[in-house]
């Protein structure tokens, strides 16, 4: 899978993709992540990427030209399955959306800043608008990093058995059960007996019960099933 991310702050995105699982996915050739600095595409004398908004009001708007030129250059090189715009007014990201997107071949993600991008960028190019939750970030970069991480780890071969996505919280609409490691007894706080029993079917049954219980207590909305 190839992901092209358009941003005015590429530095913000270098860290998250150059470590751990995201790094390994790229080294294994399973994911290609390309960062594009929108400013590099500006034809303006001062390489500006934003301007005052028509109608007045506080806050700058990202201009069409550099973003459109960057997208059109990428589209001339390959076909894209989705062009995603990260915005607090988009569809709220969940595991179902991540699962669907992890099977795509090429996507573009646009990170907005300031008051966002000129509406015409959205009208002309964008096929999907995504928010990562009901709060406002100062820019779309961290949201783009969240989306990319959540998608890339689902690409077959990225995770090994140890980090399998199958037992993640949310994969079956249930939260993951509690986990324990050594020591067996920490200042009187003990590991549940069942986990030491070696009885695998019983352990799996316990884990499922715990998942259900946790979900009921913490996220009953997930059990509503819609
Ligand atoms: Cl995608 N962008 C910004 N700026 N804020 C957000 C968001 C996105 N999702 C939640 N808050």
């Amino acid at each position: 899978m190839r992901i092209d991310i358009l941003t005015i702050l590429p530095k913000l995105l270098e860290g998250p993709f150059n470590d751990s699982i995201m790094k390994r996915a790229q080294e294994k050739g399973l994911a290609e992540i390309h960062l594009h600095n929108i400013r590099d595409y500006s034809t303006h004398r001062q390489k500006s990427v934003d301007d005052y908004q028509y109608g007045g009001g506080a806050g700058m708007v990202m201009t069409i030209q550099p973003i459109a030129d960057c997208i059109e250059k990428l589209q001339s090189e390959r076909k894209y399955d989705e062009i995603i715009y990260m915005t607090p007014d988009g569809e709220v990201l969940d595991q179902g959306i991540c699962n669907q997107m992890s099977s795509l071949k090429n996507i573009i993600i646009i990170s907005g800043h300031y008051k966002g991008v000129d509406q015409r960028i959205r009208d002309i190019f964008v096929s999907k608008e995504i928010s990562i939750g009901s709060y406002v970030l100062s820019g779309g970069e961290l949201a783009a990093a969240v989306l990319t991480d959540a998608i890339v780890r689902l690409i077959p071969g990225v995770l090994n058995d140890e980090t399998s996505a199958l037992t993640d919280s949310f994969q079956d609409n249930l939260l993951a059960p509690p986990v324990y490691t050594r020591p067996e007894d920490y200042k009187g706080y003990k590991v549940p007996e069942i986990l030491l029993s070696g009885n695998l079917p019983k352990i799996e049954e316990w884990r499922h019960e715990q998942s259900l219980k946790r979900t009921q207590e913490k996220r009953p909305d997930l059990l509503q099933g819609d």
Side-chain angles (χ1 to χ4, degrees), residues 151-166:
I151 294 172
V152 167
R153 64 190 294 286
L154 294 172
I155 298 170
V158 168
L159 298 185
N160 51 35
D161 261 4
E162 214 179 316
T163 51
S164 167
L166 293 175

PDB file of all heavy atoms in Angstrom, residues 151-166:
ATOM      1  N   ILE A 151      -4.246   2.164   9.918  1.00  0.00           N
ATOM      2  CA  ILE A 151      -4.412   1.428   8.660  1.00  0.00           C
ATOM      3  C   ILE A 151      -3.238   0.484   8.417  1.00  0.00           C
ATOM      4  O   ILE A 151      -3.417  -0.698   8.124  1.00  0.00           O
ATOM      5  CB  ILE A 151      -4.497   2.397   7.455  1.00  0.00           C
ATOM      6  CG1 ILE A 151      -5.754   3.251   7.525  1.00  0.00           C
ATOM      7  CG2 ILE A 151      -4.487   1.620   6.150  1.00  0.00           C
ATOM      8  CD1 ILE A 151      -5.768   4.349   6.460  1.00  0.00           C
ATOM      9  N   VAL A 152      -2.024   1.025   8.544  1.00  0.00           N
ATOM     10  CA  VAL A 152      -0.823   0.263   8.158  1.00  0.00           C
ATOM     11  C   VAL A 152      -0.676  -1.008   8.995  1.00  0.00           C
ATOM     12  O   VAL A 152      -0.321  -2.070   8.474  1.00  0.00           O
ATOM     13  CB  VAL A 152       0.443   1.147   8.239  1.00  0.00           C
ATOM     14  CG1 VAL A 152       1.707   0.307   8.155  1.00  0.00           C
ATOM     15  CG2 VAL A 152       0.429   2.201   7.144  1.00  0.00           C
ATOM     16  N   ARG A 153      -0.982  -0.942  10.293  1.00  0.00           N
ATOM     17  CA  ARG A 153      -0.817  -2.128  11.134  1.00  0.00           C
ATOM     18  C   ARG A 153      -1.773  -3.254  10.747  1.00  0.00           C
ATOM     19  O   ARG A 153      -1.569  -4.396  11.139  1.00  0.00           O
ATOM     20  CB  ARG A 153      -0.964  -1.763  12.610  1.00  0.00           C
ATOM     21  CG  ARG A 153      -2.338  -1.270  12.980  1.00  0.00           C
ATOM     22  CD  ARG A 153      -2.338  -0.707  14.383  1.00  0.00           C
ATOM     23  NE  ARG A 153      -2.094  -1.738  15.395  1.00  0.00           N
ATOM     24  CZ  ARG A 153      -2.984  -2.649  15.753  1.00  0.00           C
ATOM     25  NH1 ARG A 153      -4.174  -2.680  15.203  1.00  0.00           N
ATOM     26  NH2 ARG A 153      -2.684  -3.547  16.668  1.00  0.00           N
ATOM     27  N   LEU A 154      -2.812  -2.924   9.947  1.00  0.00           N
ATOM     28  CA  LEU A 154      -3.772  -3.952   9.521  1.00  0.00           C
ATOM     29  C   LEU A 154      -3.381  -4.617   8.196  1.00  0.00           C
ATOM     30  O   LEU A 154      -4.012  -5.594   7.788  1.00  0.00           O
ATOM     31  CB  LEU A 154      -5.173  -3.331   9.374  1.00  0.00           C
ATOM     32  CG  LEU A 154      -5.804  -2.838  10.676  1.00  0.00           C
ATOM     33  CD1 LEU A 154      -7.087  -2.066  10.385  1.00  0.00           C
ATOM     34  CD2 LEU A 154      -6.085  -4.006  11.615  1.00  0.00           C
ATOM     35  N   ILE A 155      -2.375  -4.082   7.513  1.00  0.00           N
ATOM     36  CA  ILE A 155      -1.945  -4.690   6.249  1.00  0.00           C
ATOM     37  C   ILE A 155      -1.355  -6.070   6.562  1.00  0.00           C
ATOM     38  O   ILE A 155      -0.500  -6.184   7.440  1.00  0.00           O
ATOM     39  CB  ILE A 155      -0.894  -3.795   5.541  1.00  0.00           C
ATOM     40  CG1 ILE A 155      -1.514  -2.434   5.195  1.00  0.00           C
ATOM     41  CG2 ILE A 155      -0.334  -4.479   4.307  1.00  0.00           C
ATOM     42  CD1 ILE A 155      -0.499  -1.403   4.709  1.00  0.00           C
ATOM     43  N   PRO A 156      -1.830  -7.119   5.850  1.00  0.00           N
ATOM     44  CA  PRO A 156      -1.330  -8.468   6.136  1.00  0.00           C
ATOM     45  C   PRO A 156       0.200  -8.529   6.093  1.00  0.00           C
ATOM     46  O   PRO A 156       0.811  -8.023   5.158  1.00  0.00           O
ATOM     47  CB  PRO A 156      -1.947  -9.312   5.023  1.00  0.00           C
ATOM     48  CG  PRO A 156      -3.195  -8.574   4.636  1.00  0.00           C
ATOM     49  CD  PRO A 156      -2.862  -7.114   4.795  1.00  0.00           C
ATOM     50  N   GLY A 157       0.792  -9.117   7.140  1.00  0.00           N
ATOM     51  CA  GLY A 157       2.243  -9.271   7.201  1.00  0.00           C
ATOM     52  C   GLY A 157       2.939  -8.201   8.028  1.00  0.00           C
ATOM     53  O   GLY A 157       4.093  -8.359   8.397  1.00  0.00           O
ATOM     54  N   VAL A 158       2.235  -7.113   8.330  1.00  0.00           N
ATOM     55  CA  VAL A 158       2.873  -6.038   9.110  1.00  0.00           C
ATOM     56  C   VAL A 158       3.067  -6.475  10.563  1.00  0.00           C
ATOM     57  O   VAL A 158       4.137  -6.306  11.136  1.00  0.00           O
ATOM     58  CB  VAL A 158       2.079  -4.717   9.030  1.00  0.00           C
ATOM     59  CG1 VAL A 158       2.588  -3.712  10.055  1.00  0.00           C
ATOM     60  CG2 VAL A 158       2.174  -4.133   7.623  1.00  0.00           C
ATOM     61  N   LEU A 159       2.038  -7.049  11.141  1.00  0.00           N
ATOM     62  CA  LEU A 159       2.155  -7.525  12.520  1.00  0.00           C
ATOM     63  C   LEU A 159       2.554  -8.993  12.508  1.00  0.00           C
ATOM     64  O   LEU A 159       2.167  -9.752  11.624  1.00  0.00           O
ATOM     65  CB  LEU A 159       0.820  -7.372  13.258  1.00  0.00           C
ATOM     66  CG  LEU A 159       0.287  -5.949  13.402  1.00  0.00           C
ATOM     67  CD1 LEU A 159      -0.973  -5.951  14.252  1.00  0.00           C
ATOM     68  CD2 LEU A 159       1.325  -5.038  14.024  1.00  0.00           C
ATOM     69  N   ASN A 160       3.354  -9.397  13.496  1.00  0.00           N
ATOM     70  CA  ASN A 160       3.624 -10.826  13.650  1.00  0.00           C
ATOM     71  C   ASN A 160       2.596 -11.406  14.616  1.00  0.00           C
ATOM     72  O   ASN A 160       1.723 -10.701  15.092  1.00  0.00           O
ATOM     73  CB  ASN A 160       5.061 -11.041  14.123  1.00  0.00           C
ATOM     74  CG  ASN A 160       5.371 -10.177  15.338  1.00  0.00           C
ATOM     75  OD1 ASN A 160       4.505  -9.961  16.175  1.00  0.00           O
ATOM     76  ND2 ASN A 160       6.591  -9.682  15.408  1.00  0.00           N
ATOM     77  N   ASP A 161       2.726 -12.701  14.920  1.00  0.00           N
ATOM     78  CA  ASP A 161       1.783 -13.370  15.817  1.00  0.00           C
ATOM     79  C   ASP A 161       1.656 -12.654  17.151  1.00  0.00           C
ATOM     80  O   ASP A 161       0.578 -12.506  17.696  1.00  0.00           O
ATOM     81  CB  ASP A 161       2.245 -14.806  16.095  1.00  0.00           C
ATOM     82  CG  ASP A 161       1.488 -15.769  15.211  1.00  0.00           C
ATOM     83  OD1 ASP A 161       0.694 -15.292  14.367  1.00  0.00           O
ATOM     84  OD2 ASP A 161       1.692 -16.980  15.361  1.00  0.00           O
ATOM     85  N   GLU A 162       2.806 -12.221  17.614  1.00  0.00           N
ATOM     86  CA  GLU A 162       2.891 -11.624  18.938  1.00  0.00           C
ATOM     87  C   GLU A 162       2.052 -10.351  19.048  1.00  0.00           C
ATOM     88  O   GLU A 162       1.505 -10.035  20.094  1.00  0.00           O
ATOM     89  CB  GLU A 162       4.351 -11.266  19.190  1.00  0.00           C
ATOM     90  CG  GLU A 162       4.770 -11.407  20.626  1.00  0.00           C
ATOM     91  CD  GLU A 162       6.238 -11.049  20.733  1.00  0.00           C
ATOM     92  OE1 GLU A 162       7.024 -11.487  19.875  1.00  0.00           O
ATOM     93  OE2 GLU A 162       6.569 -10.309  21.653  1.00  0.00           O
ATOM     94  N   THR A 163       1.969  -9.623  17.948  1.00  0.00           N
ATOM     95  CA  THR A 163       1.264  -8.341  17.972  1.00  0.00           C
ATOM     96  C   THR A 163      -0.025  -8.414  17.147  1.00  0.00           C
ATOM     97  O   THR A 163      -0.551  -7.397  16.729  1.00  0.00           O
ATOM     98  CB  THR A 163       2.179  -7.231  17.407  1.00  0.00           C
ATOM     99  OG1 THR A 163       2.684  -7.661  16.155  1.00  0.00           O
ATOM    100  CG2 THR A 163       3.307  -6.927  18.345  1.00  0.00           C
ATOM    101  N   SER A 164      -0.488  -9.638  16.931  1.00  0.00           N
ATOM    102  CA  SER A 164      -1.639  -9.870  16.062  1.00  0.00           C
ATOM    103  C   SER A 164      -2.783  -8.888  16.259  1.00  0.00           C
ATOM    104  O   SER A 164      -3.168  -8.581  17.380  1.00  0.00           O
ATOM    105  CB  SER A 164      -2.170 -11.286  16.305  1.00  0.00           C
ATOM    106  OG  SER A 164      -3.451 -11.419  15.712  1.00  0.00           O
ATOM    107  N   ALA A 165      -3.319  -8.414  15.132  1.00  0.00           N
ATOM    108  CA  ALA A 165      -4.429  -7.461  15.189  1.00  0.00           C
ATOM    109  C   ALA A 165      -5.739  -8.145  15.558  1.00  0.00           C
ATOM    110  O   ALA A 165      -6.710  -7.491  15.905  1.00  0.00           O
ATOM    111  CB  ALA A 165      -4.574  -6.754  13.844  1.00  0.00           C
ATOM    112  N   LEU A 166      -5.747  -9.483  15.487  1.00  0.00           N
ATOM    113  CA  LEU A 166      -7.010 -10.200  15.712  1.00  0.00           C
ATOM    114  C   LEU A 166      -7.505 -10.072  17.136  1.00  0.00           C
ATOM    115  O   LEU A 166      -8.697 -10.160  17.401  1.00  0.00           O
ATOM    116  CB  LEU A 166      -6.846 -11.686  15.360  1.00  0.00           C
ATOM    117  CG  LEU A 166      -6.614 -11.945  13.877  1.00  0.00           C
ATOM    118  CD1 LEU A 166      -6.332 -13.417  13.628  1.00  0.00           C
ATOM    119  CD2 LEU A 166      -7.810 -11.491  13.054  1.00  0.00           C
TER     120      LEU A 166
END
